[in-house]
Structures are given as structure tokens and as C-alpha cells.
Amino acid sequence: MSQKILVTGGAGYIGSHTSLLLLEAGFEVVVVDNLSNSSVESLRRVEKLTDQFIRFYKVDLTNFDALSDIFKEHQFDAVVHFAGLKAVGESSQIPLTYYEQNIYGTINLMKAMQKFNCKRIVFSSSATVYGDPASVPIKEDFPISATNPYGRTKLFIEEIMRDQAIADSDWQIVLLRYFNPVGAHKSGQIGEDPQGIPNNLMPFISQVAVGKREKLSVFGNDYPTPDGTGVRDYIHVVDLSDAHVKAIQKITGLLGVTTLNLGTGKGYSVLDMVKAFEKGSGKTIAYEIVDRRPGDIAECWADPALANKVLSWKATKGLDDMIDDTWRWQSQNPLGYDS
Ligand code: NAD
Ligand code: WQD
């Protein structure tokens, strides 16, 4: 019988891609999402692409009773936990909401898991937990810190999970620290669909390319980097999702807490991304240099060696794939899932 996986936040950007890959790998997928930042259309498209069914519950993780009802109905082999709020700037304006949704939501989820004896979880952490790293590439044993409430929710959740694994050694926990996820499924059917003005670079560039925004603001060109603009480790969302499938396949052999960086190990600057997108899309990306964005760091890229070793996983898609796939999704769905 196939294993049953609960995917929280499965209607979202990374969750929908991971659900697709889990189905393709032969898992049964149940999704819980409150749709606060997504559309159920993403899951309908995953069903069409895979010709398989996803059981969907529109439930908020802060609702313990509703969550318990789902665990009563299904015996899960493991949980992949994406659900949460993720806008760094917004997290400073409404920190209580971020702490409630991300931390209280996760505590509820883990209490339900404990109660129904499902103690395997893969969690979406972030490279943001490294704060401003002393050097690059970043390894998992670098010191962790946070500079905003969003980052603190990731940091606290990691600590909560470590404490739980100490208290009950049956727990098997994989903390995946993502660098900068971009791209879309090669079908062009699912992708990133940010509400309002995108906070992140890649969706902003693609909205300029499609004519939805006039120009990109490049946040600073006086960083100590080769061209003065910020350098990041962009990773294709399908590579990232593939690492989740591998983590689920290997989790029974991983005791306690395993912490892994998910990146490519390569850094690209903002202007590298602009140039590559112009080449891939054939469109001109208008931009202007503006002040640095508060809280941004100069450069950040991963040493992904540990994930390569532990998961037998490696990012295989390069910058051209990231851009071609983003552009296919954006040009076929100029208004996202509302197109
Ligand atoms: P997303 O917003 O597309 O997906 C998150 C999903 O969770 C959404 O569908 C949203 O509706 C749902 N959700 C939010 N709060 C919920 C709640 N209380 N109950 C039920 N569902 C809820 O974001 P994403 O980019 O797919 O990110 C997934 C995870 O990865 C998040 O935890 C995010 O913090 C983390 N992450 C993302 C990035 C990135 O740049 N995209 C980088 C590092 C880590
Ligand atoms: C990338 C580069 C910007 C937008 C964020 C979160 C991090 C993680 C991933 C969740 C930087 C520059 C951006 C724009 C720009 N998310 N930029 N103009 O800041 O590396 O990481 O998303 O965990 O926690 O902080 O990603 O895509 O916002 O920025 O010049 O309009 O692009 O300064 O150098 P970031 P980003």
C-alpha cells in the first residue's frame, strides 16, 4: 500500500510542486491549507498533470479540533510542513500574526501528530536563520540568528522541534533550510503567484517582463560584490521539491533532528538575474538603482554538501532552466491562477 503524506500549505508555491512530485513518486497526498496566500486551483492543476487525486481540507493550523479530525480520518506516515506566512517586511508590521500563524500553528500540528502517533516531519526552514553570515558558502553548523519576526519564527520553530526530539526520541525531524526558491514546473501550469506587489526578485522581474509592472527597483549597487548588487543562491523549485521527496523516502533511517541546506552552491547577483531574464524572455527589463533595502545582506549562498550526502540529492537545474520555466509560467498565466 502506498504511504500517505500530509502536506500542510500544499496549495502554495513550493507545496504544490512538492505535492506533484510526491504523487509521481507513488505517495498518497492529503493537503491542509487555509488558502490565505494561495488558490485551490494549484491543486486542481496538479491533479490534472498527474491524473491523480488529492484530498484537500481548507483548515487553519491554529484550529486544533479541525486538525485532529483530519488525523482521525487518516493514518499519516509523515508530514511535510510548509504552511505559514512568509513576507519579511509584513512580519515587522504584524508580528503577533506571524507568531500566531507560524509558531502556534506548528505547535498545534505537532500536538496533533503526537496525539495520533505520527512523529515524522519535514519542515520548511530558511537560510534567513543564518542572519548576516560571517562568510560564504554557508554550512549548517554556522551560528544562527534572526533580524526580523519572520526569521525568528523559523528560528523558534527549529528550537521547538529540537526540544521535542529530545523529549521523545521517537520523533524524526528534517529541517530544510531553503536558499532562494525560484522557477516553476516545466508544464507552465503551476508556479509562484504572489498577491499584490511581489517582495521577491524573480516574481518582480517576471512581472516587469510581462508588462504588469513598469520597472524593477534594484536595492543598492554599493555592496562588496563583483557588480555591487546583492548575491543569492537561487534554486529551482522542482529541485527543492525533489529534496523533500528524498527526505520523506529516507526519514525512517534518520534519527532525531537532521538539518540540511537546500541550495545550489552558486551565487548570482541582481544584475546577473536581470541579464539572464532578458536573454531567456527576449524582453527588456527596465530597472533603476535605489537605496539598499533595510535588513538585506551582501551575499548568501549555500554549501549543499551535507544534503548531497544525506539525501543523495543534488540540484540539477541551472539558471537557464529557472528563467525559462518562470517565463513559461508567467507568460501563460499573466494574472497567476486568476488568468
Ligand atoms: P506560500 O505562501 O505559497 O505557501 C504557504 C501556504 O501555507 C499557502 O498556501 C498558505 O495559504 C498556507 N498557510 C499559511 N498559513 C496557514 C495556516 N495557518 N494554516 C493553513 N495554511 C496556511 O509560500 P511558499 O513560498 O510555498 O513557502 C512555503 C514554506 O517555505 C513557508 O513556510 C515559507 O516560510 C518557507 N520558505 C519559503 C521561501 C521562499 O522564498 N518562497 C524561502 C524559505 C522558506
Ligand atoms: C534577492 C535579491 C534583494 C527585490 C527572501 C527572504 C528569505 C527567504 C527568501 C523565506 C536581494 C534584491 C529584491 C527587488 C531587488 N524567504 N531585490 N529588488 O531577500 O534574499 O530572501 O526570500 O524564508 O528569508 O528574506 O530574496 O528575492 O527578496 O531578494 O533588488 O524588488 O534581490 O536586495 O539582493 P532575499 P529576495
Side-chain angles (χ1 to χ4, degrees), residues 126 128 150 180 199-201 217-219 232 234 293 296:
S126 167
T128 194
Y150 166 74
N180 290 59
N199 299 303
N200 296 113
L201 179 65
S217 297
V218 174
F219 299 142
R232 297 290 183 274
Y234 297 94
R293 181 171 64 181
D296 274 359

Side-chain angles (χ1 to χ4, degrees), residues 93-145:
Q93 288 149 10
I94 48 168
L96 299 181
T97 305
Y98 271 68
Y99 290 123
E100 180 186 50
Q101 295 288 305
N102 293 7
I103 297 183
Y104 181 56
T106 300
I107 290 173
N108 263 340
L109 173 68
M110 291 180 74
K111 279 169 75 179
M113 289 174 68
Q114 181 86 18
K115 185 171 164 194
F116 292 93
N117 201 30
C118 166
K119 298 180 182 176
R120 295 185 187 126
I121 187 166
V122 175
F123 172 62
S124 307
S125 189
S126 167
T128 194
V129 300
Y130 295 114
D132 192 353
S135 63
V136 277
I138 299 170
K139 288 183 190 287
E140 288 80 356
D141 60 3
F142 276 27
I144 56 176
S145 67

Side-chain angles (χ1 to χ4, degrees), residues 145-161:
S145 67
T147 51
N148 56 70
Y150 166 74
R152 258 186 290 283
T153 69
K154 294 295 178 193
L155 207 81
F156 291 160
I157 292 168
E158 284 199 359
E159 299 290 11
I160 289 166
M161 291 189 167

Side-chain angles (χ1 to χ4, degrees), residues 18-39:
T18 301
S19 296
L20 187 150
L21 265 62
L22 283 168
L23 289 170
E24 286 181 345
F27 292 96
E28 197 178 328
V29 171
V30 175
V31 166
V32 48
D33 197 304
N34 66 1
L35 302 180
S36 63
N37 194 40
S38 55
S39 156

Side-chain angles (χ1 to χ4, degrees), residues 43-333:
L43 295 177
R44 300 288 88 95
R45 293 190 184 185
V46 171
E47 290 183 325
K48 271 200 198 128
L49 287 164
T50 56
D51 202 19
Q52 294 190 61
F53 172 72
I54 295 176
R55 185 82 166 87
F56 172 66
Y57 294 89
K58 185 173 184 294
V59 160
D60 195 302
L61 291 192
T62 59
N63 183 343
F64 183 76
D65 292 341
L67 208 50
S68 291
D69 287 343
I70 300 172
F71 277 87
K72 266 180 217 150
E73 211 176 312
H74 304 271
Q75 179 65 51
F76 295 113
D77 292 285
V79 175
V80 187
H81 178 33
F82 294 104
L85 301 177
K86 63 163 183 175
V88 172
E90 183 186 64
S91 78
S92 295
Q93 288 149 10
I94 48 168
L96 299 181
T97 305
Y98 271 68
Y99 290 123
E100 180 186 50
Q101 295 288 305
N102 293 7
I103 297 183
Y104 181 56
T106 300
I107 290 173
N108 263 340
L109 173 68
M110 291 180 74
K111 279 169 75 179
M113 289 174 68
Q114 181 86 18
K115 185 171 164 194
F116 292 93
N117 201 30
C118 166
K119 298 180 182 176
R120 295 185 187 126
I121 187 166
V122 175
F123 172 62
S124 307
S125 189
S126 167
T128 194
V129 300
Y130 295 114
D132 192 353
S135 63
V136 277
I138 299 170
K139 288 183 190 287
E140 288 80 356
D141 60 3
F142 276 27
I144 56 176
S145 67
T147 51
N148 56 70
Y150 166 74
R152 258 186 290 283
T153 69
K154 294 295 178 193
L155 207 81
F156 291 160
I157 292 168
E158 284 199 359
E159 299 290 11
I160 289 166
M161 291 189 167
R162 283 188 203 98
D163 285 339
Q164 186 58 17
I166 292 167
D168 178 349
S169 59
D170 288 346
W171 278 80
Q172 293 171 304
I173 298 174
V174 182
L175 307 175
L176 297 178
R177 294 177 176 159
Y178 313 159
F179 281 66
N180 290 59
V182 297
H185 187 253
K186 63 180 180 328
S187 63
Q189 287 292 301
I190 56 170
E192 187 169 12
D193 182 19
Q195 322 273 302
I197 301 171
N199 299 303
N200 296 113
L201 179 65
M202 191 70 147
F204 203 107
I205 293 180
S206 64
Q207 291 195 4
V208 174
V210 83
K212 202 170 158 187
R213 314 249 160 228
E214 191 195 334
K215 63 177 174 219
L216 171 74
S217 297
V218 174
F219 299 142
N221 66 349
D222 57 352
Y223 285 105
T225 61
D227 67 17
T229 65
V231 170
R232 297 290 183 274
D233 184 339
Y234 297 94
I235 174 167
H236 196 295
V237 66
V238 172
D239 276 334
L240 191 78
S241 297
D242 179 43
H244 291 71
V245 175
K246 298 223 159 63
I248 286 292
Q249 286 167 334
K250 303 234 170 201
I251 198 165
T252 48
L254 300 172
L255 297 181
V257 180
T258 307
T259 307
L260 302 171
N261 285 340
L262 294 184
T264 64
K266 280 197 201 75
Y268 291 103
S269 75
V270 177
L271 294 180
D272 289 336
M273 299 302 282
V274 169
K275 277 182 223 136
F277 208 99
E278 287 185 328
K279 188 167 151 264
S281 66
K283 302 276 177 189
T284 301
I285 309 297
Y287 70 86
E288 70 173 328
I289 310 289
V290 301
D291 287 346
R292 291 182 179 192
R293 181 171 64 181
D296 274 359
I297 57 177
E299 52 185 6
C300 170
W301 69 87
D303 179 341
L306 192 60
N308 298 167
K309 184 170 154 231
V310 172
L311 301 180
S312 310
W313 164 89
K314 203 172 170 15
T316 59
K317 294 175 185 290
L319 189 56
D320 289 348
D321 300 305
M322 300 182 207
I323 290 189
D324 291 350
D325 294 338
T326 302
W327 181 235
R328 190 173 307 108
W329 154 253
Q330 181 69 67
S331 49
Q332 288 179 13
N333 305 269

